[in-house]
Every structure is written in C-alpha cells, then in structure tokens.
Amino acid sequence: ETSIEEVNYIGALLRNGQHSCGVCIVSEGYTLTAAHCVSTASPASLGVRVGSSFRTSRPGDTVVGVSRILMHSSYNPSTIDYDYAILTLATKLQFGTTIQPISLPHHAEKIDDGTLTWTSGWGSTHNPNHSNEVLRTVEIEIINREKCRLAYASRIPVTERMICAGDYYNGGRDACQG
C-alpha cells in the first residue's frame, strides 16, 4: 500500500460514478488513460477523481468532469494496439501535494530491458487478504519485447507501441484491471 502523496500523478477514472480504470495526470487540464477504458463511453458518463489514496469516494475528494475524449485514431480494440486516450477535463486541476502531473519520458527516449520502474493503482489482487481499496504500488521490470511477443503469441500481437513490464514468468506483479 502507498499514499497519494507518493504517487500524486495518479487518479481514478469514474464511469457513471464508479471506479473503472486508472488515469495519469499530464497537466492541469488533461489526463491519460487506456483507450479500452473509454472506447464506448461518452464524456458525460465519465469523471476523474484525484488526490485520494482510496478506490471509493471519500468526503473532500476532488472529482472533475470530462468534456472530451481523444482516443488515438489507430486504436484497435481487437489487438489493443494504440491503447491510449487523452481526457480533456471540464475543470482545471489545482496542483498541490496530492495532485501533480506525471513526469513523462521524451519522445525518443529508450527504456532498456531490465529497467526497474513502478506502477500504481487500485487493480486486482490475487490474494483475498489484500484489498484493492487502498492505492498500491509495485516495482516491476521492463521485459524484452521479443520475450513478451512469445509469451503473448496466442493472445495478442505485441507491437512497437507497447511496453511489456511485470513479473510474468514468476507469478505476477503487474498493472492489472484498475
């Protein structure tokens, strides 16, 4: 478990008021999420909750509406290629200790295989004694794309736009459903 102060660039995508997926804050007016999380949604059905360590709403949470969904024009729901979308927020966020933009890599910046990185969210846990109510973070390793292609060959094509990360071969730390 972690606190929002440690990963203050993350938020919850709400669909009809319920937690649906995670988002990353990229600026005062925009968040980034997976296209598959919003592909069938209308802006009116979405909200973004930021500044909270909890999956469900608490008094004092910051919730803003979404005015526009910008999915990548090449997003393919069958292969999940180009699986990203920018959400334009209806109200600009006020930055503080619990709400900040994420630091993104430069366009051509290469992330080497084996690099340790972090993922955070309210995703599924396989252990019934671990709740996903409180924000979690885990250190994961960037996986060689060819190894990833072999591991997922029967499921989806792994493209140049995808980053493989986690602990697939040893039982499973990754970012999953939330």
Side-chain angles (χ1 to χ4, degrees):
E1 292 183 358
T2 191
S3 70
I4 195 65
E5 289 83 5
E6 296 296 317
V7 286
N8 52 16
Y9 48 82
I10 196 163
L13 177 65
L14 306 177
R15 191 164 184 169
N16 298 316
Q18 300 298 310
H19 180 92
S20 172
C21 288
V23 302
C24 285
I25 300 165
V26 294
S27 73
E28 295 168 321
Y30 299 93
T31 62
L32 173 69
T33 194
H36 73 263
C37 293
V38 296
S39 63
T40 61
S42 68
S45 70
L46 299 177
V48 172
R49 188 167 47 80
V50 294
S52 177
S53 299
F54 299 96
R55 180 180 168 97
T56 54
S57 295
R58 298 285 197 273
D61 284 356
T62 299
V63 177
V64 296
V66 172
S67 62
R68 188 172 179 202
I69 302 167
L70 300 165
M71 285 194 310
H72 193 284
S73 60
S74 296
Y75 168 61
N76 182 332
S78 298
T79 64
I80 63 169
D81 200 10
Y82 294 96
D83 189 21
Y84 46 91
I86 298 288
L87 305 179
T88 304
L89 302 177
T91 307
K92 288 191 177 198
L93 299 175
Q94 298 296 313
F95 290 155
T97 58
T98 61
I99 303 172
Q100 286 290 311
I102 192 167
S103 176
L104 295 171
H106 298 286
H107 173 69
E109 189 173 337
K110 183 172 174 3
I111 302 171
D112 294 326
D113 297 344
T115 299
L116 294 176
T117 187
W118 294 90
T119 189
S120 304
W122 296 272
S124 297
T125 62
H126 292 287
N127 184 331
N129 297 320
H130 293 160
S131 167
N132 64 356
E133 176 60 22
V134 178
L135 185 60
R136 291 181 172 271
T137 191
V138 66
E139 189 174 39
I140 56 175
E141 181 180 338
I142 301 297
I143 305 298
N144 174 278
R145 188 172 278 119
E146 288 309 313
K147 286 183 181 178
C148 191
R149 282 186 175 125
L150 290 172
Y152 284 92
S154 66
R155 296 182 195 148
I156 60 165
V158 175
T159 71
E160 296 301 313
R161 287 150 304 277
M162 298 176 182
I163 296 174
C164 291
D167 191 11
Y168 179 84
Y169 294 102
N170 295 312
R173 294 180 317 246
D174 69 4
C176 183
Q177 301 171 348

